[in-house]
Amino acid sequence: MNVLRIVTLVAALAVVAAPAHAQISDGVIKIGIMNDQSGTYADLAGPGSVVAARMAIEDFGAAKKGMKVEVLVADHQNKPDVGSSIARQWFDADKVDVIIDVPTSSVVLAVNQIAREKNKALIVSTGATSDLTGPQCSPNAIHWTYDTWSLANGTGSAVVKTGGDTWFFLTADYKFGHDLERDTEAVVVKNGGKVVGKVRHPFPNADFSSFLLQAQSSKAKVIGLANAGADTINAIKQGAEFGIVKGGQQFAGLLVFLTDVHALGLEKAQGLLLTESFYWDLNDRTRAFSTKFAERHRQAKPTMAQAGVYSAVLHYLKAVEALKSDDGPKVIAKMKELPTDDPVFGKGMVRADGRKIHPVYLFEVKKPSESKGPWDYYKVRATVPAEQAFRPMDQGHCPLVKK
Amino acid sequence: MSTLTAPGTSARPVAVEISGTTPIHQIVAFGAMVTLLVLAPFVVYPVFLMKALCFALFACAFNLLVGYVGLLSFGHAAFLGCAGYASAHAAKVWGFAPESAIVFGTLVAAALGVVIGALTIRSRGIYFANITLAFAQMIFFFSLQAKFTGGEDGIQAVPRGTMFGVLDLRQTYTMYFVVLAVFLLGFLVVYRSIHSPFGQVLKAIRENEPRATSLGYQAERYKLIAFVLSATLAGTAGATKALVFQLASLTDVHWTMSGEVVLMTLLGGMGTVFGPVVGAFLVISLEHYLAQIGSWLTIVQGTIFIVCVLTFRRGVIGELGRLLKKPL
Amino acid sequence: MTIFGVPTQALFGQLLIGLINGAFYALLSLGLSVIFGLLNIINFAHGAQYMMGAFVAYFALQWTGLGYWPSLLLAPVVVGLFGIVLERTMLKRLYQLDHLYGLLLTFGVALVVQGVFRNQFGSSGLPYTAPAQLTGGYNLGFMFLPTYRAWVVVFSLVVCFATWYVIERTKLGAYLRAATENPTLVQAFGINVPRMITLTYGFGVALAALAGVLAAPIYQVNPLMGADLIIVVFAVVVIGGLGSIMGSIVTGFGLGVIEGFTKVFYPEASNTVIFVIMALVLLVRPAGLFGRAT
């Protein structure tokens, strides 16, 4: 009998207390940063993304506004099964409200499903697949920093316009590589260029000598690297060995981060063309942000992925504050409603299909003689304005977009 | 060429008894296991438990081959993963009900087991390990290239569906008890195979194959049947796992997955009945606990391998059995 | 002129590259073959020891300024010592057991070593440059051959041949081969068999480390560089025939060439072709191409 009474009392309290907590679930906003903490993508996102998230929470002034924000971190090891396991656990048991970052396209798609199922939120900064704002678009997700389409478009069109009109593709043999190759090829051809050859290498791959040889004999002006991380680094390094750049050909890195160039060194990476949506040395606001970041993250300047996390967390908190709730799809809708403005990307907005838009830049890696110190690696070759940088909404086949 | 025997510095295998009734201590242990597993989901996160159960079944299937036949396969992931892909594809694209999807996955693994088994069963020892690895690598490559497996993405958003038309598997607890039932069924199949005349012949073959052959037993056929059985049950584990996580991915066909099941079986106790179950739960818990720091996990796993091989060859259950002086 | 649509010039280039890659496979499988053939130990830690060799070269440069040439000697010695310690403390206890326990132990060692290095250094890899004397290259007409790669082939051939000669044609090698066939008898002759075994294991490990130093300037020095390589090297050794030194050398170079051709005609499969070959060989000749049946 006593037990029954206690149970009823607790239940009654829960019912009474519930409305007060229905706004911010459990009174705490829980942000989960899920990425690769120890593998190939650890440097370009990894612990740095966590630093960026914490910086955003502080800069937002959560403490002063009386909002409790907690950050959880997990390593998905670039595997969709690990990622989906963590997402499930976080949403089910740990009451996480939003998952942010998520490199590796296969994990993005898996977590996207789960966020939708559990009615929570997902903001992707490091992951690349443009399917997230295309056929897989969801009212629970936003794609923040960049995607395969913007990379293909930025690098592809800008390179062709500057004279690189014959291309040879060196593609990692998995979906991301194929997509990148397909998107870039379309852009190259549209701009009047020609693809003279392509080869698919196993993913991951250590030795590129054979493929580089094929690229050399194709005599293409541009060798497009449709791969990422260690593969790109190895290809460029071995390319230097085989005298690719000395022989007059140019490498176009289709997905290259600042940390990759840092790992390669300017000696080997000079002349490389790449597209990113952020660079620490673009303007005063980015410089200020990056200096603060570097102080907290072993003197390394932020990559676009990490900067994107900062920007995303900031805007997410703004939306939660305006809405006074952390309900997944509602916050996402609010984020699309409110315009964005931050030191990372400047002014921008989030489209109906979940695509955040901002300008995107074609960079060329400096020669060692042109660099004034560590991390001074890029010079701007072209700027693509926000409206043109991302795939037009009507071409994405996103079910959320009204025709 | 010697075969891998159940642990012990002299190659004395663990005794397998055939009597009219099942030994009392094993019934007690079984009862304890079932009770724990029935109560656990109310205390521990059920999805974690389901994962452990699938791997426990996988380890039991693997143990059948390594502990009782003495063949170390380094390519068992092929069966786990292929069944997973088959079941995921059946449920998602062909709209199979979950029970049919699991059965289909199991059958695919069985067929694969027949093919690979027929080609590899003549080898022994390191050659057997290598050739099973070779086939598993080929399966990995096929999984990578084939369109229907989705490559790096895997097959995602696999529907759990409704089992037998009544059990809604989207409810976590319903799914859990279904998975538990599948596991117990598989476990009992393994148990029954060992504790049977068939199991006795396997033991005879493992201890002295020429003598067993001279007594009229066709050793290769027995080994092949054990291999196929092991592959089939590994497939059941994979097919069920695909439904639990609603995902079938490359991780399940990668060679490191084959290494993991070896770890689970070794830690739990090769050639024991309950060893693989305990080993699987331990390893999965370890992974879960160390998930935050990926690289510490490999260090700990490696250390367990080393410690087990040097001083703890009987594994947890093996040592426990020795303490109690009863086979577990 | 083209063969299957590929110009012969390009094909020669690929052939040469294949030989260069084959040199690595040969050198690595040599160490493994020595260890298995003579000691019946399956050294799954070989890939991790290869990686350690590359790291020793990296550290030598970073911490003491010792360049490539001294590292060629230093790395094998340091890692060889590690191997000796490993053998003395752990592997020795497993000799009476089935050799698969040795495999499991060394597999565990590989996991630990790789985990520790990954913990410290991440996975993106560290740069290591080739020595000045070996940079640049020759224009051979059909391709540009980097000097360093040519050096790799030459050096590997020399080391492989020297090892084969010592084991098959000298008195020391004869003692070693005798000791593994009948240790008690050889010990009765006054030869310290356990010490020989330890030193041989150390030598095999040193060969792995040597391959690591050779690899450092070409591939990034990273903790996982040996992880996927180890199963390929095993395949090479098994195809060549466990216990046949010449078998591993020939298969190593052969595989490099076959892989090279695969990269031209069906590049996606280049990582898997070795396993297809291994399965085929084992089905037809279960002891490998040059192996002795046990």
Side-chain angles (χ1 to χ4, degrees), chain B residues 215-277:
Chain B
L215 286 170
Y217 292 108
Q218 288 182 302
E220 300 226 332
R221 192 185 290 182
Y222 277 88
K223 290 198 284 187
L224 181 61
I225 295 176
F227 186 92
V228 173
L229 192 57
S230 173
T232 310
L233 289 169
T236 313
T240 314
K241 189 162 94 73
L243 290 181
V244 170
F245 287 102
Q246 304 180 266
L247 172 71
S249 76
L250 283 176
T251 312
D252 296 331
V253 278
H254 195 258
W255 68 272
T256 43
M257 178 61 83
S258 299
E260 274 212 34
V261 74
V262 177
L263 178 66
M264 291 177 193
T265 315
L266 181 64
L267 178 60
M270 281 197 271
T272 62
V273 174
F274 295 94
V277 182

Side-chain angles (χ1 to χ4, degrees), chain A residues 303-315:
Chain A
T303 61
M304 68 171 167
Q306 294 156 341
V309 170
Y310 174 86
S311 166
V313 172
L314 205 56
H315 196 64

Side-chain angles (χ1 to χ4, degrees), chain B residues 146-157:
Chain B
K147 288 277 174 296
F148 84 95
T149 57
E152 289 289 316
D153 292 348
I155 302 181
Q156 302 195 1

